[in-house]
Amino acid sequence: MKVLSRGIACSFIFLIVYGYAAPIGAQTVKLDRIEVAIDFKEEGYYRSIPFIALDRDLFFITDNIAHRVLEYRFGGNKLEFLRAIGRPGQGPGDLRLPTNISISGGTLAVKDQSGISFFGPDGGFKNKFPLLSWAETMMFKEDEIYATSVDSAKADFIHVYSRNGESVRSFQDKTKLYPIRYDIISGLSPAQVQSYVCAGLLRDNGRSIYFLSKRFGNVLRFDPDGKATGSWEISHILGDNERAKAAENRRMFLEKGFDVEKIMRFIPQNYLFEDAQIADGRLYLLLENWDILEKKAKPVIEFVEIELDAWAVVRSYRADAQAKWESASQFIFIGDKTNPIFLTAVRSPDDDEKICIFKPEVNRN
């Protein structure tokens, strides 16, 4: 850790803004914030917003407390409530702790504890299939479900299913992705270890499928059939903080290990980023705001724009936090590379989670 700390003394090679170093080569852009007004707040649950999705002007929020998905019409700076989708239960159209949501062709796919449910544009239930493997994240694309499996009995990491739940194909051998050693981690099941080690996101750009590791910074690219077409590592193009997180995660999960009871069941998150989106040949990351070197939260909400062809950071977008410990958990990119706009879920310990629009600050001179 002392060696990593000395890297801070060399931070003259970074652009310093708000007291924190921007990634090498990045132009830093300050963001304005607009809070979005939300209907139905008295009936909905907004203390935490687990997942959000947008399809044209339709906006969706998962409600884990009431076991449903809330649908809104997004326009201007307001979310107008339209309907609740799903209800508590185990039958057709019922949901139990909905987590991931994804939209394709106007159909909403919802992953909950028991499987994947599909709902039409009017909120009507279409069909559901069970997931027999513990899926960490999923993506709905062109009538197929892509899901990452953390089932220790399955060799492949990414599994593809039809709308009816039939297994179509699988790819990416987990043993070649990370050298997971179950013997060095005490107190977790193999599936739990895989869940921590393989935490990440599935994204696509219309032609390719991407897996992005939140803990180690690996980015893997595949064609739709599962053939590997590229791999990169993002921590080295971000900054000292992200490199330190990746190194600590490798030490903790892949090299030294730990005993859950000895660390009082507290397993540090130490994500490099919270969320990611791909648009216009760019990868946009919402950075996790914990500074592992300074052992404190950074008082900023920060997005990084990476050009995929050059694999280089183009810009860093930043907004001041408005409350202590305020952070952002997920976002939807609704602009383009000439006019970037981030529709973002913002959390604060002392308030309900908010939906905010962040866009480049207007020159007021």
Side-chain angles (χ1 to χ4, degrees):
M1 188 59 72
K2 290 182 180 179
V3 173
L4 292 170
S5 297
R6 285 200 296 270
I8 298 299
C10 299
S11 58
F12 61 88
I13 64 174
F14 295 100
L15 173 62
I16 304 299
V17 180
Y18 303 119
Y20 291 93
I24 296 175
Q27 172 193 359
T28 301
V29 178
K30 190 168 184 179
L31 295 173
D32 276 336
R33 172 201 307 235
I34 302 168
E35 186 173 335
V36 175
I38 305 177
D39 279 351
F40 203 64
K41 289 211 72 170
E42 292 73 22
E43 293 82 4
Y45 183 80
Y46 298 91
R47 192 68 189 168
S48 172
I49 298 176
F51 286 91
I52 58 176
L54 181 70
D55 182 34
R56 299 181 299 275
D57 65 339
L58 298 179
F59 188 85
F60 301 86
I61 298 174
T62 56
D63 180 354
N64 282 352
I65 299 301
H67 309 285
R68 60 187 177 174
V69 176
L70 305 178
E71 180 181 352
Y72 300 82
R73 190 172 307 282
F74 175 60
N77 304 327
K78 183 177 179 180
L79 290 174
E80 176 190 357
F81 178 73
L82 296 178
R83 60 178 64 88
I85 298 172
R87 59 183 183 269
Q90 303 290 332
D94 296 342
L95 298 173
R96 182 65 179 170
L97 293 176
T99 53
N100 292 53
I101 51 178
S102 185
I103 306 168
S104 180
T107 297
L108 174 69
V110 183
K111 183 175 83 69
D112 69 355
Q113 282 190 334
S114 58
I116 308 288
S117 295
F118 298 91
F119 299 88
D122 61 353
F125 173 72
K126 287 177 170 278
N127 69 290
K128 180 175 185 175
F129 69 84
L131 273 177
L132 302 180
S133 297
W134 183 358
E136 188 67 18
T137 185
M138 71 96 178
M139 179 180 69
F140 185 26
K141 174 180 169 61
E142 297 176 357
D143 256 9
E144 292 184 326
I145 291 289
Y146 291 74
T148 58
S149 170
V150 292
D151 184 342
S152 58
K154 293 187 177 295
D156 282 345
F157 181 48
I158 299 175
H159 293 254
V160 185
Y161 303 90
S162 72
R163 279 277 301 273
N164 294 322
E166 299 168 339
S167 179
V168 177
R169 59 191 174 277
S170 63
F171 51 94
Q172 183 54 59
D173 188 332
K174 276 182 283 192
T175 62
K176 296 180 180 178
L177 180 59
Y178 299 114
I180 300 176
R181 291 182 52 195
Y182 301 107
D183 61 304
I184 64 173
I185 298 176
S186 175
L188 297 177
S189 70
Q192 289 173 318
V193 173
Q194 285 192 23
S195 177
Y196 281 107
V197 170
C198 299
L201 302 169
L202 289 169
R203 295 289 182 261
D204 81 284
N205 66 352
R207 303 179 305 278
S208 301
I209 309 300
Y210 290 81
F211 171 73
L212 302 99
S213 164
K214 297 169 74 172
R215 198 172 290 282
F216 304 104
N218 310 102
V219 178
L220 308 179
R221 186 181 67 195
F222 307 89
D223 68 17
D225 292 328
K227 179 182 177 182
T229 59
S231 64
W232 300 267
E233 204 282 314
I234 60 174
S235 67
H236 73 279
I237 63 172
L238 293 177
D240 284 348
N241 186 47
E242 285 67 38
R243 284 192 293 274
K245 285 182 177 180
E248 173 60 17
N249 285 330
R250 284 192 295 270
R251 184 198 68 80
M252 184 172 184
F253 289 95
L254 303 178
E255 297 167 3
K256 185 178 178 181
F258 57 90
D259 185 324
V260 171
E261 296 302 325
K262 289 182 179 178
I263 61 174
M264 306 297 291
R265 308 200 70 82
F266 173 72
I267 301 174
Q269 178 170 293
N270 284 340
Y271 287 159
L272 279 66
F273 59 91
E274 294 273 15
D275 201 0
Q277 301 294 339
I278 297 175
D280 296 332
R282 301 286 203 265
L283 169 64
Y284 295 89
L285 300 177
L286 169 57
L287 297 188
E288 205 266 348
N289 77 332
W290 178 251
D291 189 324
I292 192 173
L293 298 173
E294 298 293 326
K295 299 292 188 292
K296 64 180 181 180
K298 296 189 288 187
V300 295
I301 292 171
E302 180 177 10
F303 304 87
V304 170
E305 178 184 348
I306 297 171
E307 185 178 352
L308 287 174
D309 286 342
W311 202 245
V313 175
V314 179
R315 294 178 188 86
S316 173
Y317 301 91
R318 292 177 176 177
D320 291 314
Q322 292 187 349
K324 187 176 181 181
W325 303 107
E326 183 184 63
S327 62
S329 55
Q330 54 196 303
F331 76 101
I332 298 166
F333 187 77
I334 58 175
D336 56 45
K337 60 187 177 184
T338 61
N339 183 34
I341 302 173
F342 307 92
L343 186 60
T344 309
V346 178
R347 58 193 175 200
S348 173
D350 301 322
D351 200 358
D352 289 348
E353 228 168 290
K354 300 178 176 65
I355 301 296
C356 295
I357 296 170
F358 291 95
K359 55 186 179 180
E361 186 178 69
V362 175
N363 189 342
R364 298 181 176 86
N365 294 331

